[in-house]
């Protein structure tokens, strides 16, 4: 359990001395895991989609190194018990998506567990019960996610973005 995420982290995540981590993403990365947990401050560098075929839990902030350039779309599939659960009030600079791709009765949800959330990006889900969100939850749409980049549309109203980044990403020194 969690082994697929550990392997992926070795390739796309750089741990920093201050306890944070840098997520280097360029394109679409699919992870076959029951659960992916963002348990430390994550700095996004690059542009892309992290597709998890299970649950995504966000326990710490996710911020873009350069908000004008760096973008992350987090996608969870509902069939495998998927959902996106935000468990922090710290800022999440990402587009959160959770959808079912079949008629088996599964519904993709984005929810809060302990505190209000603060998302700067967007949310797309099969179900989003505003009455169950914690008081003070904040969603501010980031129009950078709907720019002139090419889009690949799969299934019902889910947009996967291939955001081109022609520069090689180098770790900060």
């Amino acid at each position: 359990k969690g082994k697929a995420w550990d392997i992926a982290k070795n390739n796309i995540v750089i741990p920093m001395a201050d306890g944070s981590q840098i997520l280097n993403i360029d394109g679409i990365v699919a992870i076959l895991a029951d659960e992916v947990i963002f348990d430390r401050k994550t700095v996004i560098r690059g542009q892309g989609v992290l597709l998890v075929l299970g649950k995504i839990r966000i326990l710490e902030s996710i911020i873009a190194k350069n908000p004008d350039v760096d973008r992350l779309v987090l996608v969870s599939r509902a069939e495998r018990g998927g959902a996106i659960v935000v468990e922090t009030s710290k800022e999440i600079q990402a587009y959160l998506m959770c959808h079912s791709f079949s008629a088996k009765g599964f519904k993709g949800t984005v929810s809060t567990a302990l505190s209000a959330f603060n998302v700067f990006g967007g949310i797309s889900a099969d179900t989003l019960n505003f009455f169950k969100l914690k008081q003070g939850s904040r969603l501010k749409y980031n129009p950078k996610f709907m720019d002139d980049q090419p889009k690949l549309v799969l299934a019902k109203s889910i947009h996967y973005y291939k955001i081109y980044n022609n520069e090689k990403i180098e770790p900060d020194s």
Side-chain angles (χ1 to χ4, degrees):
K1 190 170 186 173
K3 186 174 181 179
W5 175 230
D6 290 337
I7 292 168
K9 282 197 307 188
N10 287 336
N11 292 304
I12 63 174
V13 175
I14 300 170
M16 302 305 288
D18 65 0
S20 66
Q21 61 189 8
I22 295 174
L23 173 64
N24 288 313
I25 191 153
D26 182 21
I28 299 171
V29 176
I31 299 173
L32 180 60
D34 292 330
E35 186 173 70
V36 167
I37 301 173
F38 288 90
D39 57 355
R40 58 174 74 182
K41 177 183 175 182
T42 302
V43 178
I44 305 159
R45 192 164 55 190
Q47 302 174 344
V49 175
L50 185 64
L51 171 63
V52 179
L53 300 179
K55 185 179 197 175
I56 298 173
R57 292 178 55 210
I58 303 171
L59 309 177
E60 268 293 336
S61 64
I62 299 175
I63 58 169
K65 180 173 176 75
N66 180 346
D68 291 328
V69 177
D70 302 320
R71 284 175 231 138
L72 176 65
V73 178
L74 290 174
V75 181
S76 173
R77 286 282 305 268
E79 278 84 356
R80 297 178 51 85
I84 298 176
V85 181
V86 179
E87 300 181 41
T88 181
S89 60
K90 296 177 182 173
E91 187 169 35
I92 309 300
Q93 294 179 358
Y95 200 104
L96 310 179
M97 301 178 77
C98 188
H99 289 273
S100 168
F101 290 105
S102 70
K104 295 180 183 176
F106 296 103
K107 295 289 183 189
T109 62
V110 175
S111 63
T112 59
L114 306 172
S115 61
F117 66 66
N118 181 10
V119 174
F120 178 60
I123 293 178
S124 177
D126 291 329
T127 61
L128 182 62
N129 188 337
F130 287 99
F131 299 106
K132 289 188 177 180
L133 296 177
K134 302 295 184 220
Q135 185 173 357
S137 290
R138 182 173 174 244
L139 168 63
K140 183 175 180 187
Y141 178 68
N142 182 352
K144 299 268 185 203
F145 284 99
M146 293 303 288
D147 60 12
D148 292 330
Q149 298 292 341
K151 296 161 185 71
L152 170 63
V153 179
L154 299 175
K156 57 177 189 178
S157 55
I158 291 187
H159 298 275
Y160 289 90
Y161 297 87
K162 172 57 180 162
I163 303 168
Y164 295 97
N165 183 355
N166 294 324
E167 299 174 2
K168 185 175 179 184
I169 299 173
E170 297 291 338
D172 290 336
S173 347

